[in-house]
Amino acid sequence: MLLNYQLHQPPHDQQKTPLVLIHGLFGSLSNLGVIARALYEKYPVIQVDVRNHGQSPHTDEMNYAVMAQDILDTLDHLNIQQFSVIGHSMGGKISMKLTELAPERLQQLVILDIAPFGYQENHHDQIFKALFAVKDAHINSRKEATEIMRNYLQEEMVIQFLLKSWSKGQWLFNVDALSVHYDDILSWTDVSPWGKPTLFIRGAKSPYIAKDNYLNAIHSQFINAEIQTVDNAGHWLHAEKPEQVFSYIQNYLN
């Protein structure tokens, strides 16, 4: 599947490996924009909407194998062979799946606050309730959507993040497909051990790389992994502490 994308070329030909930025659940290509903009000067940067998000096609099929293949299809369309990836959350799992589908093409890998692990906890039940309530209300105004969502969600930052994908009275992401495939999004099938140096960056206040079994999953599948921690940051570490996150990324990249 060809995804909606934005390609940014550096102002001077640096001969650097292109970087693909992959957002997380309920997101869009703009979500990693603060990181993308910091990379524009040196690297070709490709930001994508993953399937069922943003301006990319909607489909009933959704798992990590097909989502990773979507990335490869889009890169093939752009005639890009060698590439590196930065992925957040669900986008991080898509990125890790690429080690299995395109091991020769994938050069460097940065994973933001997710482990190669099948999570059991449902962190999004209230979000889905809010999204469906807005969808079923058949409204057009952002103000009405916000008021409905506040019946389900207390964190204003989460509401405003979700509303970035609200346009002309509808959600840009495919709420039905995301709900049906939520267990697939939580799940994970281990990949063969990946030997290239890999950078994991976690938020100190986030639960996603907080337990020993999450760390064990990282080290068993990414045998040359480096794990950095961003203090006073949660799951949205790139939005909360962009300078520190970028510093870790910059030190890692070629």
Side-chain angles (χ1 to χ4, degrees):
M1 177 185 290
L2 178 61
L3 302 174
N4 181 53
Y5 66 87
Q6 290 180 359
L7 171 62
H8 305 271
Q9 294 285 2
H12 307 288
D13 186 4
Q14 306 266 352
Q15 298 297 312
K16 296 282 190 179
T17 300
L19 292 170
V20 184
L21 273 58
I22 311 177
H23 65 80
L25 182 61
F26 305 121
S28 68
L29 59 77
S30 67
N31 290 158
L32 295 176
V34 65
I35 300 299
R37 288 187 290 274
L39 295 165
Y40 287 169
E41 288 296 313
K42 291 186 178 180
Y43 302 88
V45 174
I46 304 101
Q47 296 166 263
V48 298
D49 289 329
V50 306
R51 65 168 57 199
N52 290 322
H53 291 73
Q55 301 294 334
S56 284
H58 287 191
T59 172
D60 291 336
E61 187 177 16
M62 193 168 186
N63 57 62
Y64 287 113
V66 298
M67 289 191 283
Q69 186 60 50
D70 293 341
I71 301 297
L72 296 177
D73 291 346
T74 305
L75 292 174
D76 289 345
H77 172 76
L78 293 167
N79 295 314
I80 293 173
Q81 288 301 310
Q82 303 295 307
F83 63 93
S84 297
V85 182
I86 300 171
H88 173 245
S89 197
M90 180 185 74
K93 284 189 168 183
I94 297 171
S95 304
M96 290 186 282
K97 188 68 175 177
L98 286 163
T99 66
E100 189 172 76
L101 298 187
E104 302 86 6
R105 297 173 66 180
L106 179 59
Q107 299 303 303
Q108 292 188 284
L109 186 58
V110 179
I111 306 299
L112 301 180
D113 209 61
I114 201 74
F117 187 86
Y119 294 89
Q120 301 300 316
E121 300 88 351
N122 183 337
H123 293 285
H124 300 97
D125 186 55
Q126 288 301 112
I127 288 178
F128 275 116
K129 288 180 180 178
L131 298 179
F132 278 113
V134 171
K135 181 174 180 254
D136 294 341
H138 303 292
I139 57 175
N140 289 309
S141 85
R142 193 181 192 86
K143 182 175 182 293
E144 289 175 296
T146 302
E147 290 172 353
I148 291 172
M149 294 176 76
R150 284 175 181 156
N151 294 324
Y152 301 89
L153 303 170
Q154 278 69 54
E155 295 176 273
E156 195 65 25
M157 185 184 80
V158 173
I159 293 172
Q160 295 308 314
F161 161 70
L162 294 168
L163 285 171
K164 289 181 179 180
S165 293
W166 170 259
S167 177
K168 298 177 181 178
Q170 62 184 4
W171 295 113
L172 294 178
F173 40 69
N174 185 345
V175 182
D176 294 297
L178 298 184
S179 177
V180 168
H181 291 286
Y182 184 68
D183 286 345
D184 294 316
I185 294 166
L186 290 181
S187 71
W188 181 251
T189 301
D190 288 0
V191 294
S192 299
W194 175 250
K196 294 179 183 178
T198 305
L199 175 62
F200 286 78
I201 309 177
R202 63 180 178 176
K205 298 192 292 185
S206 170
Y208 285 93
I209 311 183
K211 298 179 181 179
D212 287 343
N213 51 347
Y214 303 159
L215 295 169
N216 292 338
I218 289 173
H219 290 299
S220 66
Q221 295 168 70
F222 295 87
I223 56 179
N224 205 355
E226 171 191 358
I227 302 174
Q228 296 286 359
T229 303
V230 179
D231 293 334
N232 298 313
H235 188 53
W236 294 95
L237 64 172
H238 54 284
E240 298 173 59
K241 300 283 184 176
E243 291 183 1
Q244 189 172 352
V245 171
F246 180 68
S247 177
Y248 287 139
I249 293 172
Q250 190 174 38
N251 289 337
Y252 163 76
L253 291 175
N254 290 333

